Amino acid sequence: MDSEIIITSPPRSSPNILVTGTPGTGKTTTSELIALAAGLEKVTVGELVKERSLHDGYNEEFDTYWLNEDKVVDEMEDMLAGGGMCVDFHTCGMFPERWFDLVVVLRADTDKIYDRLEKRGYKQNKVQENIECEIMQVVLEEAQESYQPKIVMELASNTVEQMEANVEKVAAFVEEFRRTHTQ
């Protein structure tokens, strides 16, 4: 007899939020502000990959690590089990759907992304690839394909005012989630 194993998350009283988007859309700043405003713990996946060697080496051409998705997911599973986490990463399809209660996809105009990435010292090929990803809506489409539409929130992130409004929206979501999920 074939049976399908379904993994479900235990009920959470505080949500897990994923803040994703093309590099240069403001994920790190926004997720830091969300964590502070909503009382969540912040996890920056890129830092975790470096600190805990969750990669398969270094890609010199694009000045980045070759991510080992299995290692990342294994490392993060227990971290996210209890809820109350704000995760920052530039992609989202590798994470189990059960982990997140809200997926925030930050979007920015390509001129903003260009300026932000150039200021960080990104190589030109990496800047161009990320601008093309934003134009093609790669991260947004990945989120829409990987998660229930009702939990995917697309937000503009071009200005400080937009970032602040985004933080307020997500903090309101967290407050409502906690109110309706109190055990």
Side-chain angles (χ1 to χ4, degrees):
M1 176 199 297
D2 290 330
S3 63
E4 185 177 327
I5 297 174
I6 299 173
I7 299 173
T8 59
S9 296
R12 299 188 271 263
S13 58
S14 188
N16 286 328
I17 311 292
L18 174 61
V19 179
T20 190
T22 303
T25 56
K27 293 177 304 300
T28 301
T29 301
T30 301
S31 60
E32 286 171 356
L33 294 171
I34 289 169
L36 284 171
L40 301 173
E41 188 176 335
K42 182 176 176 293
V43 176
T44 301
V45 176
E47 290 176 13
L48 200 65
V49 167
K50 289 179 213 166
E51 290 168 5
R52 301 192 185 171
S53 297
L54 307 176
H55 57 82
D56 295 324
Y58 197 74
N59 179 339
E60 294 290 337
E61 181 183 359
F62 285 95
D63 195 26
T64 191
Y65 288 95
W66 293 108
L67 184 71
N68 184 311
E69 293 181 5
D70 291 334
K71 286 181 181 179
V72 173
V73 170
D74 289 348
E75 185 73 24
M76 293 179 66
E77 184 76 44
D78 290 341
M79 261 185 236
L80 293 166
M85 305 298 284
C86 183
V87 177
D88 158 15
F89 199 49
H90 64 269
T91 188
C92 59
M94 69 182 199
F95 300 122
E97 186 176 2
R98 69 183 181 278
W99 281 6
F100 298 108
D101 304 291
L102 181 65
V103 176
V104 177
V105 181
L106 297 179
R107 304 292 311 278
D109 295 338
T110 55
D111 61 323
K112 298 287 186 195
I113 291 173
Y114 183 90
D115 292 345
R116 292 169 183 172
L117 297 182
E118 192 172 69
K119 196 179 285 186
R120 292 182 196 171
Y122 277 35
K123 293 180 177 181
Q124 194 58 42
N125 62 332
K126 191 171 179 178
V127 172
Q128 191 60 41
E129 180 185 57
N130 285 308
I131 287 174
E132 288 171 10
C133 284
E134 185 67 6
I135 290 168
M136 300 301 291
Q137 302 184 58
V138 171
V139 179
L140 177 61
E141 288 180 9
E142 181 181 32
Q144 292 169 335
E145 291 169 4
S146 301
Y147 301 95
Q148 296 286 326
K150 67 183 180 183
I151 73 163
V152 177
M153 182 185 293
E154 177 186 4
L155 299 173
S157 183
N158 292 300
T159 66
V160 171
E161 294 77 22
Q162 287 175 330
M163 281 187 182
E164 290 170 349
N166 295 343
V167 170
E168 288 175 15
K169 285 177 190 171
V170 176
F173 169 86
V174 171
E175 185 177 319
E176 179 64 13
F177 184 98
R178 287 177 175 150
R179 189 183 67 74
T180 59
H181 290 79
T182 303
Q183 299 176 359

